[in-house]
Amino acid sequence: MSTDTTAAVTGTTTAGAGPAPDTGARTPEAAGVITDARGRIDDLDGRIIALVQERMGVSAVIQRERIASGGRRVNLSREMEVLAHYRDRLGKPGTALAMTLLELSRGRI
């Protein structure tokens, strides 16, 4: 394996000075694991953002149809169901996440 390839895999510099400082790791092996895991997290974050954007689009359709039929823009009982679902699955921080998703999907009320 070339020095450049090793550096990319293990997080070490091409001078072999040790692990990449931005990982916080103290060994090249740990730096490699962290670098790989961060790549996975970046991929997951991209997928999560795409799903949130998709959710926003679906919510816009629901709001448009509800308003066109004479209803209100927001259905508070449905929002309470969403909040409870996230809280039940993720605990108290799930409620904050659900609130953020609801705000992104319908705007502030």
Side-chain angles (χ1 to χ4, degrees), residues 36-50:
D36 290 346
R38 284 180 176 173
R40 289 181 60 208
I41 285 174
D42 290 345
D43 179 57
L44 289 166
D45 286 343
R47 291 166 43 199
I48 290 167
I49 290 167

Side-chain angles (χ1 to χ4, degrees), residues 1 5-6 8 11 13 17 20-21 26-27 35 41 45-46 50 53 55 58 62 69 77 86 99-100 106:
M1 188 180 300
T5 304
T6 302
T13 63
R26 296 190 177 229
T27 66
T35 299
I41 285 174
D45 286 343
Q53 291 171 330
R55 187 191 196 288
V58 172
I62 292 168
S69 70
S77 64
Y86 275 78
M99 287 297 296
T100 299
R106 51 114 161 100

Side-chain angles (χ1 to χ4, degrees), residues 19-84:
D22 64 336
T23 66
R26 296 190 177 229
T27 66
E29 294 78 17
V33 169
I34 291 167
T35 299
D36 290 346
R38 284 180 176 173
R40 289 181 60 208
I41 285 174
D42 290 345
D43 179 57
L44 289 166
D45 286 343
R47 291 166 43 199
I48 290 167
I49 290 167
L51 287 169
V52 169
Q53 291 171 330
E54 182 178 350
R55 187 191 196 288
M56 291 167 64
V58 172
S59 181
V61 168
I62 292 168
Q63 289 177 51
R64 184 176 57 241
E65 291 303 314
R66 189 181 301 121
I67 291 167
S69 70
R72 295 180 169 202
R73 181 172 68 97
V74 176
N75 181 333
L76 295 178
S77 64
R78 172 63 180 151
E79 289 196 358
M80 295 306 291
E81 290 175 13
V82 171
L83 291 168

